[in-house]
Amino acid sequence: MLSTFFKTVALGVAAAAALTACGGPVKMGAAAVFNDHRITVAQLDQTVSDWKKQLDKDPAALELQQGGQQVPADPDSPPRSALVQLVDFRIWDELAREQHVEVTPTQIDQIIAANGGKKAVDDLTLAHGLPVSHARDVVRAFVIHSLLLQRYGAVPNQQGQVDQQAQQLATQRLGVAYGQATRTLKIKINPRYGSFDPNTGLGPVSYGLSKPDPGLNGAG
């Protein structure tokens, strides 16, 4: 189910990928760089600003957070939490390209409908630290994840259950492919947001001689 996707992908796929994305140096004004593309600091700040405004107006999403059903990737730093997810979207897109996986708008719509509709998926997205404009990105990543697991052998039986050993083997294979996509992208993270390691997720911020930016809620 989509509600468990946030929790299982980082633990299952990322833990199987023994590759590390690098911290700095990055282009000026960039929060993260992928080969010749980047997520700018301004884009990240706007993402966090939109998220905060939307979350404050959505009691259902707040309840998901407060009840522990969904929590941001880094509850102490909205910018870092958002950034690691934006980076993850890029990795899944690259993985889909390398593995020749196509995701159609219809497939995304079907998953949304099967998981309570647009409002429910928006709530999950907000609870996990992103504005609703990224809800379809979440679903797209979920579809890529699901299709590749099935390709690698985790195929549900008639009762909708998957053999545990087949699930583990498929997850390992997916982890290898995920790691390859990470290596292809040559991800670099601005040190002010810490580091990104597919094995452990967000790494700590190392301030060095610089001081934290007080406007980034501890992002550094």
Side-chain angles (χ1 to χ4, degrees), residues 39-118:
I39 298 171
T40 68
V41 172
Q43 289 170 334
L44 181 60
D45 287 348
Q46 186 62 56
T47 297
V48 173
S49 177
D50 292 344
W51 167 74
K52 287 180 177 178
K53 292 175 183 178
Q54 294 170 12
L55 182 67
D56 289 342
K57 297 178 181 179
D58 194 319
L62 282 168
E63 185 176 349
L64 286 172
Q65 271 196 0
Q66 294 167 357
Q69 291 99 320
Q70 294 293 326
V71 294
D74 183 348
D76 297 324
S77 176
R80 280 169 24 102
S81 183
L83 182 59
V84 75
Q85 293 180 82
L86 296 178
V87 167
D88 197 48
F89 292 151
R90 300 295 182 95
I91 297 172
W92 286 108
D93 284 345
E94 175 61 25
L95 182 55
R97 186 190 70 79
E98 292 180 1
Q99 299 297 318
H100 308 290
V101 173
E102 294 186 8
V103 179
T104 68
T106 298
Q107 287 173 302
I108 293 175
D109 290 339
Q110 289 173 341
I111 294 297
I112 291 174
N115 284 270
K118 182 178 184 301

Side-chain angles (χ1 to χ4, degrees), residues 13-210:
V13 175
L19 296 168
T20 302
C22 304
V26 296
K27 298 177 182 179
M28 184 176 295
V33 175
F34 313 82
N35 294 331
D36 294 329
H37 302 283
R38 64 179 181 167
I39 298 171
T40 68
V41 172
Q43 289 170 334
L44 181 60
D45 287 348
Q46 186 62 56
T47 297
V48 173
S49 177
D50 292 344
W51 167 74
K52 287 180 177 178
K53 292 175 183 178
Q54 294 170 12
L55 182 67
D56 289 342
K57 297 178 181 179
D58 194 319
L62 282 168
E63 185 176 349
L64 286 172
Q65 271 196 0
Q66 294 167 357
Q69 291 99 320
Q70 294 293 326
V71 294
D74 183 348
D76 297 324
S77 176
R80 280 169 24 102
S81 183
L83 182 59
V84 75
Q85 293 180 82
L86 296 178
V87 167
D88 197 48
F89 292 151
R90 300 295 182 95
I91 297 172
W92 286 108
D93 284 345
E94 175 61 25
L95 182 55
R97 186 190 70 79
E98 292 180 1
Q99 299 297 318
H100 308 290
V101 173
E102 294 186 8
V103 179
T104 68
T106 298
Q107 287 173 302
I108 293 175
D109 290 339
Q110 289 173 341
I111 294 297
I112 291 174
N115 284 270
K118 182 178 184 301
K119 179 61 169 60
V121 175
D122 285 350
D123 290 343
L124 286 172
T125 304
L126 283 172
H128 209 255
L130 287 175
V132 299
S133 58
H134 287 290
R136 292 182 72 86
D137 294 326
V138 172
V139 177
R140 173 178 165 79
F142 172 78
V143 173
I144 296 168
H145 171 258
S146 300
L147 290 175
L148 284 175
L149 277 182
Q150 291 187 36
R151 178 184 294 181
Y152 296 145
V155 180
N157 59 25
Q158 293 182 346
Q159 290 72 42
Q161 299 175 333
V162 179
D163 177 78
Q164 185 175 2
Q165 184 176 6
Q167 179 76 32
Q168 291 175 344
L169 290 174
T171 299
Q172 290 174 2
R173 293 184 65 187
L174 181 54
V176 172
Y178 183 95
Q180 177 58 49
T182 303
R183 179 164 51 225
T184 299
L185 288 173
K186 300 178 181 179
I187 301 166
K188 294 182 180 180
I189 302 295
N190 189 321
R192 73 192 293 187
Y193 303 109
S195 59
F196 177 75
D197 184 339
N199 291 289
T200 57
L202 284 169
V205 176
S206 178
Y207 297 125
L209 298 177
S210 63

